Amino acid sequence: ANKDGNTALHWAGAKGHLECARLLVAAGADRDKHNHKGQTALKVAQANGKAEVATFLESAPQSAAEELSMLRRQQKQAEQQEEQMRQR
């Protein structure tokens, strides 16, 4: 955390970096950590109008293992779609 208590997840929320937020949560970032203003990363994302990140943080799996599993499924789906496109 920086001097204001903002973590990397707070910054991902503030800037709207969805993939970064996903990776941080997958790595075990604490979504409930408050900065010195009492804001979680979710509140920071909402305050900055970053709806995609806010939605993710509201609905993200509770554990890193669940998040990794979700990311792997998404990667596999993307690879399957890419393969289908090549076959056309």
Side-chain angles (χ1 to χ4, degrees), residues 31-42:
R31 290 180 288 160
D32 297 322
K33 181 139 176 90
H34 291 77
N35 63 16
H36 295 327
K37 292 182 180 179
Q39 300 169 310
T40 62
L42 170 60

Side-chain angles (χ1 to χ4, degrees), residues 7-18 20-21 24 40-54 57:
T7 65
L9 191 55
H10 283 92
W11 280 102
K15 301 299 181 181
H17 296 301
L18 180 59
C20 184
L24 289 164
T40 62
L42 170 60
K43 294 299 179 192
V44 170
Q46 291 170 332
N48 285 280
K50 306 303 180 186
E52 279 188 316
V53 176
L57 291 172

